[in-house]
Every structure is written in C-alpha cells, then in structure tokens.
Amino acid sequence: MIRNVLKGIQAYRTAWPLINKLNLWQYFAVPMVISFLTGLLIGFAAWGLSDDLGAFFSLAWVWEWGADVVRTISEILAAMLIVALGLILYKHIVMAVSAPFMSPVSEKIETHLMGTTHTHRNTTNASQLWRGIRINIRNLGMELLLTVPILLLSLIPVIGVVATLLLFLVQAFYAGFGNMDYTLERHLSYAESVRIVKQHRGIAVGNGIVFMAMLFIPVIGIILVLPLSVTAASTETIAILKETRRLAPKEPTQNLSQ
C-alpha cells in the first residue's frame, strides 16, 4: 500500500516533461479555464457562507453561559465543513465536465507508451462525459458518506488530528480515482474500473495527495492541477493495465494478396 502511494506521488516527476514532449497543453486549455472558474466560484461561495453557517450552528446553544466558546467552535466547524464540501464539489465537478478533454490526453499518452500495437474501446465525447458524470456522482455520494462522520470525529481532541488526516486521504483517494478513470474508461466497464481502482487504491491515494496539495497553492495550483495529475495518473494506470494483461494486442493484419 505505502509503496503504491509513493509510486502515485513519484509519477508526477515525469508529468511535466511528458506534457511538453507530446504537446498536450492544447488539450488542457478548456479544462484549466473550467478548473479556475469553478474554484473561484466555490471559493467566493465559501467565503460568503462561513459566517452565516457558523451563526446558524451556534443557535443550537440557547444559554448565555459559554455562548462565546460555542460561537467560536461553531465558526471553526462551519469553516471546516465548507472547505471540505467545497473541495469535494470542486474536484467532482471539474473531473466530470473535463472528461471529454482528458480522455484524448490519456489516449495520446497510452499510444506514446504502448505504440499502436494495442486495442481499446472506441468512445464518443458524449459517452466520455456520461461516464465522467456517472463515476463522479457515485464517488461524490461515497465521499460524502465518509466525510460527515469524519468531520464530527475531528471535533474530538487528539482524535481530531487523526480524523483530519483521514479526511485528507479520503479526498485524495477519490481525486486519484477520477484521474485514473480517464484511462480505464477505454478498456474496462464501470464496475470493472471500480474494482481495479480498489485493488490499486495506493496509486489513487498517491496521485490524489499531490492533487489535493496543489489546490492549496493560490491560483497556479487550480490551473495546473488537472494537467499534471491526469498525466501522472495515466502513466501509472497504463502500467497497471499492462501488469493485469488488460491491454490487448491487436490482431495482425493479414495480407490479402497472398
């Protein structure tokens, strides 16, 4: 598990050179704009809602005694909740909408690494978008189910530190999951993709750790996060497909003149 996490992280070392070598920046233009605008929108929404949500939480305490402490705790809880939900919504919205742009990137990387001696399913932009929406809705639901109880645990002293780390890793896993599926969707069904990511969850977590960390870099982070993370995930996912023999070789073309 830990070794795979490190592999997922180390894959970023070759991402930038590979993007330049294959001239992939042209495919990232629209997703980078989508990423920036979505991040900006969620950021402003979080800024505007944090105080109101904190005040709403504090209404549960009707006594004057300890009201200031409760208000402070409520504001902290509101901020944590908004940041967590904002990051969750951001990555799933961006990943789903960017699917038609990211799949060709993954395919070009696959062709570069594998040559033309392999086969995969032909998919349309519409099917890629639908696959992205379906995967991200599924992951969004699962992530929310895990996030809410973890946030509650984070309020408990000492345990809160562990819970915060666990919350980060959960978000990282689903970020890596989405990045890996841009490659998996050409080769595996929806159910098979879920299964293969679970079997290689360390790669997903490693990819997602860098993804999530980049979101905390102002402006540049949300612009570059998708190009680098998708490229890194593609190289590792292709390696997984090779290891599990899911990259089928093409049948040799027969010479009809013979």
Side-chain angles (χ1 to χ4, degrees), residues 156-178:
I156 303 174
V158 182
I159 295 177
V161 177
V162 178
T164 301
L165 176 60
L166 182 59
L167 179 62
F168 181 82
L169 293 177
V170 168
Q171 294 220 21
F173 170 72
Y174 285 106
F177 190 141

Side-chain angles (χ1 to χ4, degrees), residues 1-64:
M1 175 70 173
I2 295 178
R3 186 176 68 176
N4 281 341
V5 171
L6 293 176
K7 284 177 63 178
I9 294 173
Q10 291 169 353
Y12 280 84
R13 292 187 304 179
T14 60
W16 189 281
L18 190 57
I19 292 172
N20 289 329
K21 183 176 182 178
L22 301 182
N23 193 26
L24 298 177
W25 289 112
Q26 57 184 317
Y27 297 96
F28 291 123
V30 174
M32 285 193 293
V33 172
I34 293 172
S35 178
F36 178 74
L37 293 179
T38 304
L40 202 63
L41 180 63
I42 291 177
F44 278 122
W47 181 270
L49 290 173
S50 58
D51 290 341
D52 294 337
L53 187 59
F56 175 76
F57 286 162
S58 65
L59 292 177
W61 187 265
V62 296
W63 301 275
E64 290 187 11

Side-chain angles (χ1 to χ4, degrees), residues 236-257:
E236 289 303 310
T237 307
I238 291 166
I240 290 171
L241 291 173
K242 286 175 62 179
E243 291 172 5
T244 55
R245 301 181 183 276
R246 285 178 167 85
L247 280 179
K250 279 186 177 179
E251 294 293 334
T253 304
Q254 294 183 350
N255 190 341
L256 299 179
S257 63

Side-chain angles (χ1 to χ4, degrees), residues 4-160:
N4 281 341
V5 171
L6 293 176
K7 284 177 63 178
I9 294 173
Q10 291 169 353
Y12 280 84
R13 292 187 304 179
T14 60
W16 189 281
L18 190 57
I19 292 172
N20 289 329
K21 183 176 182 178
L22 301 182
N23 193 26
L24 298 177
W25 289 112
Q26 57 184 317
Y27 297 96
F28 291 123
V30 174
M32 285 193 293
V33 172
I34 293 172
S35 178
F36 178 74
L37 293 179
T38 304
L40 202 63
L41 180 63
I42 291 177
F44 278 122
W47 181 270
L49 290 173
S50 58
D51 290 341
D52 294 337
L53 187 59
F56 175 76
F57 286 162
S58 65
L59 292 177
W61 187 265
V62 296
W63 301 275
E64 290 187 11
W65 177 83
D68 290 338
V69 175
V70 171
R71 189 177 300 110
T72 300
I73 294 174
S74 297
E75 290 175 356
I76 293 173
L77 177 60
M80 291 176 60
L81 181 62
I82 288 174
V83 169
L85 294 181
L87 289 174
I88 290 172
L89 289 174
Y90 164 82
K91 67 174 181 285
H92 289 299
I93 290 172
V94 170
M95 286 181 170
V97 177
S98 299
F101 303 96
M102 295 298 97
S103 293
V105 168
S106 173
E107 186 173 350
K108 284 188 173 294
I109 294 172
E110 185 175 313
T111 300
H112 170 71
L113 296 177
M114 297 294 297
T116 57
T117 59
H118 68 287
T119 60
H120 56 74
R121 297 186 302 164
N122 291 321
T123 56
T124 64
N125 286 343
S127 66
Q128 291 162 2
L129 179 60
W130 171 240
R131 167 76 172 238
I133 292 172
R134 187 182 178 192
I135 281 286
N136 281 281
I137 288 177
R138 180 259 182 199
N139 287 351
L140 175 61
M142 295 294 296
E143 196 168 349
L144 288 175
L145 285 175
L146 294 171
T147 296
V148 173
I150 292 174
L151 278 175
L152 294 176
L153 286 174
S154 67
L155 298 176
I156 303 174
V158 182
I159 295 177

